[in-house]
Amino acid sequence: MTTDVILGLLWRSFWETIWMTAASGLLSLVIGLPLGLALVVTGRGGIAEQPAINSVLAALVNGFRAVPFVILLIALIPLTRLIVGTALGTTAAIMPLTIAAIPYYARIAEVSLREVDRGLIDAVRAMGGNRWTIIREVLVPEAMPGIVAGFTVTLVTLIGASAMAGTIGGGGLGDLAIRYGYQRFETGVMIAVVVVLIILVCGMQWLGDRLANRLDRR
């Protein structure tokens, strides 16, 4: 296999991985952050304490988190085929990636939100602030560095998961490594994929850390 062919395959697979990671990451943020907020505000001592609702949400989150991604990937094939029309390709892989990432990120966001100083919440309450004011003006802004750092970790995890999705035809760098690096014994392709993944993960982590530090008010 020539160098030009390898570079072409790497370039295409790289952008497939970026697409899968970005789409599933955005969906996990849009759904996972509100879910993390719900776990905090309905939990013990929360601003809208609801033990029954909190127990149901926690059970759902823990249930999905307990399932290994490779099992979830296979179990969701019928649902993926029903919604997307196919169980193969990068677009199809976004569904299991998203479903795996939502509870994962929800728990990370929950931890960050619980670390917000209780005194700030009580001060806003004393000034007549309602629940939405507390969420908007205290919880989310104060927890933002942790929220961003947690989202960065989620994106890095999704990169690894997207590579795993390649084992069942999900596309991306993982698919390239399996089809060419492993099945066709193209060692150069395997090494190139590993190098690209390392650079991608390190770059994403660096950007996330920089943004989190910039948002830190301490």
Side-chain angles (χ1 to χ4, degrees):
M1 186 179 294
T2 65
T3 302
D4 289 342
V5 172
I6 293 176
L7 290 175
L9 290 170
L10 271 174
W11 183 252
R12 185 191 66 189
S13 299
F14 171 79
W15 284 110
E16 286 176 347
T17 296
I18 291 295
W19 162 238
M20 287 189 289
T21 303
S24 55
L26 178 61
L27 289 171
S28 69
L29 175 65
V30 171
I31 302 173
L33 181 55
L35 182 56
L37 274 167
L39 287 168
V40 171
V41 300
T42 61
R44 179 180 296 180
I47 59 177
E49 188 172 344
Q50 294 287 341
I53 295 176
N54 185 267
S55 296
V56 172
L57 292 176
L60 287 172
V61 168
N62 291 337
F64 277 100
R65 286 183 66 209
V67 181
F69 178 69
V70 66
I71 296 177
L72 187 66
L73 191 65
I74 297 171
L76 289 173
I77 287 177
L79 180 61
T80 302
R81 187 179 289 115
L82 177 65
I83 295 176
V84 182
T86 178
L88 301 175
T90 55
T91 302
I94 290 171
M95 174 164 289
L97 286 170
T98 300
I99 293 177
I102 287 172
Y104 179 81
Y105 181 61
R107 281 301 189 190
I108 293 179
E110 179 192 10
V111 171
S112 298
L113 291 162
R114 288 193 186 280
E115 291 179 349
V116 174
D117 188 353
R118 185 75 188 185
L120 294 174
I121 298 175
D122 293 338
V124 174
R125 271 179 166 171
M127 291 186 290
N130 57 28
R131 294 169 181 171
W132 289 112
T133 301
I134 293 173
I135 292 173
R136 186 178 65 251
E137 302 295 336
V138 180
L139 281 177
V140 173
E142 291 296 322
M144 190 57 69
I147 289 172
V148 171
F151 185 58
T152 303
V153 173
T154 302
L155 289 177
V156 170
T157 302
L158 280 170
I159 292 174
S162 70
M164 194 181 301
T167 60
I168 64 166
L173 292 167
D175 182 57
L176 178 63
I178 292 295
R179 287 195 295 116
Y180 290 90
Y182 177 71
Q183 295 177 348
R184 301 187 185 183
F185 304 102
E186 293 281 354
T187 306
V189 173
M190 183 69 78
I191 293 174
V193 167
V194 172
V195 170
V196 171
L197 284 172
I198 291 173
I199 294 173
L200 183 58
V201 167
C202 291
M204 192 168 292
Q205 188 66 58
W206 181 80
L207 288 173
D209 290 343
R210 289 288 299 271
L211 181 57
N213 290 334
R214 181 165 295 187
L215 292 170
D216 197 342
R217 300 181 179 182
R218 291 171 295 181

